Amino acid sequence: MASPRPFQCLFSTLPKPIRSHTLSSRQISKRFIASTPKRRRGPPEHLDTTPDDKPTAVERTLERGSESSQKSTAIQSQREKTYTPAELYPPYKASELAALKEKYTPAQFAAIEAGEAAIPPSDIADQAVFRNAPMSLDYIDDFATIRPYIDKPKRAPESNIDPDLRIKTTEELEGDLARWARNLPQDADRVEWMKFMDNHRQYVGKEEAEKHPVEYTSPVLPKMKFEGLPDPDEQRDSGVEEEDTDPALERLMLTTGYDKRQINSFLSKTLVTHRVVNQTRMGKIQSMYYLVVAGNGKGLIGIGEGKSTELEDARKQARFAAIRNMQPVARYEERTIYGDVKGKVGATELELYTRPPGFGLRTQHLIYEVCRCAGITDLAARVTRSRNPMNTVKATVQALMKQRIPDEIARARGRKLVDVRKVYYAGLT
């Protein structure tokens, strides 16, 4: 077993060379420590041997405690002291009045004196504090500055926009300054220059575009109105409250991009519904299963399934899933399909046949509802094997998606497709 060795730091150095055969390992480890050694502990404070004229530790502690208590008492008394309005807002001194007279004109100084005389100090002392009222503001604001993100600004009309607005050139600015200097009265003072700077125009063009420009810091949201729907502003004014939007409906609107009006306008039909049971360690849990088909009647079709312990939740879940799964279906002349197609799901096999105008939908009820939601009016169908309702609906949608459009066939063969009816009948179809 190896003997223990002392820890050696690579960055520590010895004050002088040490021979390992003259010092023990314990002495070498002590010499490698680079930190400053601690001072030796002195006698305890209660046995202090200092002269009598120097305060002891106990006396120093008592002095510090008395000083801190005096300071805290002075601060508390200063906080609890109440000031009168005259003490809070004393009148101006002679030096302050002289400074105001130098800075302002006689008319402005007279206005300041009139304002000071009209407002008593008691009103300022009562109003310039935070109130404990329920509707009071938690910040100090003079309400003179419009904040675009907090306040409702007074927006300039769109007619103030001038596309030909430009900045004046140096020659034009010098001409304005020369004209002002020529019309300057003899007893002109600083106020004339301030008026010139306030009323001088820096741009050439419409004056409203420079004085009151249109700001887009917080643009106005456009108001959209739809025919047949009431105006939300009118409903708000009449006191009619809007219904709360379902969270599932909001997610569907974000996913599909449809609004509430479009979702409510889609055609939907519940085709299959039955009760299912799930066997768990807690027992049998019964739920309702719904199969819903949805479409817009103009070439969009989709099916959705939903399952829940509540009937309404399962039906809503299936309807929203059908709307989310809607896909476009090819329609010939917007009434039938392109040729005969087949579909197979599980043991269910069916065939869909194209038919001439006026033939109608001569199919079973499940295929009829799918075609009605898709906007197909002329169709014949035959289910050859199993007639399971769920598989029949799924096989119908599968067959509608498997249509081969003539344009795709011509493009694959490298041919050009021409409508014979438009050629021989001069476009009359």
Side-chain angles (χ1 to χ4, degrees):
M1 183 176 180
S3 60
R5 296 182 180 180
F7 177 80
Q8 298 180 0
C9 180
L10 298 178
F11 298 99
S12 60
T13 56
L14 293 171
K16 57 184 178 179
I18 299 176
R19 298 178 181 178
S20 59
H21 66 276
T22 58
L23 297 176
S24 62
S25 61
R26 184 176 182 84
Q27 292 174 340
I28 294 176
S29 64
K30 288 185 177 180
R31 297 293 294 272
F32 267 94
I33 297 175
S35 60
T36 306
K38 296 183 179 180
R39 296 180 58 184
R40 183 181 179 183
R41 181 179 296 179
E45 293 185 356
H46 65 278
L47 299 178
D48 195 359
T49 58
T50 54
D52 296 338
D53 55 349
K54 188 175 181 180
T56 61
V58 179
E59 293 176 352
R60 289 196 300 269
T61 304
L62 294 176
E63 290 177 0
R64 286 195 298 268
S66 61
E67 290 177 0
S68 61
S69 61
Q70 291 176 3
K71 290 182 180 179
S72 61
T73 305
I75 294 173
Q76 186 69 17
S77 60
Q78 187 176 3
R79 290 179 178 176
E80 295 178 356
K81 182 180 178 181
T82 57
Y83 296 92
T84 60
E87 294 177 349
L88 290 174
Y89 304 99
Y92 288 109
K93 300 179 182 179
S95 59
E96 296 176 348
L97 292 175
L100 291 175
K101 289 180 180 179
E102 292 180 359
K103 184 175 182 180
Y104 298 102
T105 62
Q108 293 175 344
F109 183 75
I112 293 174
E113 286 184 339
E116 292 286 345
I119 303 175
S122 58
D123 292 350
I124 302 177
D126 294 339
Q127 295 181 7
V129 294
F130 287 102
R131 296 180 176 84
N132 296 327
M135 303 302 295
S136 61
L137 301 176
D138 57 350
Y139 60 91
I140 299 176
D141 196 347
D142 58 353
F143 300 102
T145 305
I146 294 178
R147 303 179 182 180
Y149 296 99
I150 299 177
D151 305 326
K152 184 178 180 181
K154 184 178 180 181
R155 307 179 188 277
E158 297 291 338
S159 59
N160 289 6
I161 298 176
D162 186 6
D164 299 331
L165 191 69
R166 64 174 181 84
I167 302 176
K168 288 185 177 181
T169 60
T170 306
E171 292 77 8
E172 293 174 345
L173 294 176
E174 292 177 353
D176 295 343
L177 185 60
R179 283 191 295 271
W180 171 78
R182 285 196 301 267
N183 300 330
L184 197 64
Q186 297 294 333
D187 55 347
D189 53 0
R190 187 178 174 184
V191 179
E192 298 293 336
W193 172 253
M194 296 173 63
K195 292 181 179 179
F196 171 73
M197 293 301 298
D198 293 339
N199 301 325
H200 181 250
R201 295 190 56 188
Q202 303 288 337
Y203 293 83
V204 176
K206 190 182 295 186
E207 184 177 359
E208 292 80 3
E210 179 182 359
K211 298 296 183 181
H212 303 285
V214 180
E215 297 182 358
Y216 294 98
T217 306
S218 54
V220 182
L221 296 178
K223 294 184 178 180
M224 303 180 65
K225 295 184 179 180
F226 301 97
E227 296 181 0
L229 294 179
D231 191 359
D233 297 337
E234 296 178 358
Q235 289 184 351
R236 193 180 302 108
D237 297 339
S238 60
V240 179
E241 297 183 357
E242 298 181 358
E243 298 180 358
D244 296 337
T245 307
D246 188 14
L249 180 59
E250 291 182 353
R251 291 193 296 269
L252 179 64
M253 294 166 61
L254 292 176
T255 304
T256 60
Y258 300 124
D259 55 8
K260 188 175 180 180
R261 180 183 61 86
Q262 293 175 330
I263 293 176
N264 294 333
S265 65
F266 290 148
L267 302 175
S268 62
K269 181 68 176 180
T270 301
L271 301 181
V272 180
T273 174
H274 54 78
R275 189 177 297 275
V276 295
V277 179
N278 184 22
Q279 181 67 43
T280 64
R281 63 184 182 89
M282 302 299 295
K284 296 181 179 180
I285 300 177
Q286 297 184 1
S287 302
M288 287 299 300
Y289 170 85
Y290 276 80
L291 177 63
V292 178
V293 60
N296 64 345
K298 297 179 181 179
L300 285 179
I301 190 64
I303 57 174
E305 299 172 292
K307 185 173 65 174
S308 177
T309 56
E310 298 294 333
L311 302 180
E312 186 62 22
D313 294 343
R315 187 192 64 79
K316 186 185 300 183
Q317 181 181 355
R319 182 174 181 272
F320 288 173
I323 296 175
R324 191 182 300 109
N325 298 332
M326 285 195 308
Q327 297 179 3
V329 174
R331 296 183 303 163
Y332 177 69
E333 297 180 348
E334 297 182 354
R335 61 175 185 82
T336 186
I337 59 177
Y338 285 91
D340 302 340
V341 291
K342 296 181 180 181
K344 182 179 183 302
V345 174
T348 300
E349 295 181 1
L350 54 82
E351 298 177 3
L352 304 180
Y353 308 101
T354 180
R355 287 296 181 261
F359 185 83
L361 294 175
R362 303 183 186 181
T363 63
Q364 61 159 290
H365 67 286
L366 298 176
I367 304 177
Y368 175 88
E369 295 295 342
V370 173
C371 295
R372 185 181 67 88
C373 293
I376 298 175
T377 57
D378 300 318
L379 189 75
R382 183 178 65 174
V383 182
T384 57
R385 293 182 58 190
S386 173
R387 288 173 173 80
N388 181 273
M390 296 168 51
N391 292 342
T392 301
V393 175
K394 296 177 182 179
T396 304
V397 176
Q398 181 191 82
L400 293 175
M401 296 296 176
K402 290 170 57 178
Q403 299 181 61
R404 298 189 65 187
I405 303 176
D407 295 336
E408 296 179 355
I409 299 175
R411 192 182 307 110
R413 295 180 180 179
R415 301 290 183 176
K416 181 180 179 180
L417 184 65
V418 178
D419 193 346
V420 180
R421 295 177 302 173
K422 292 183 179 180
V423 174
Y424 288 93
Y425 298 99
L428 300 177
T429 60

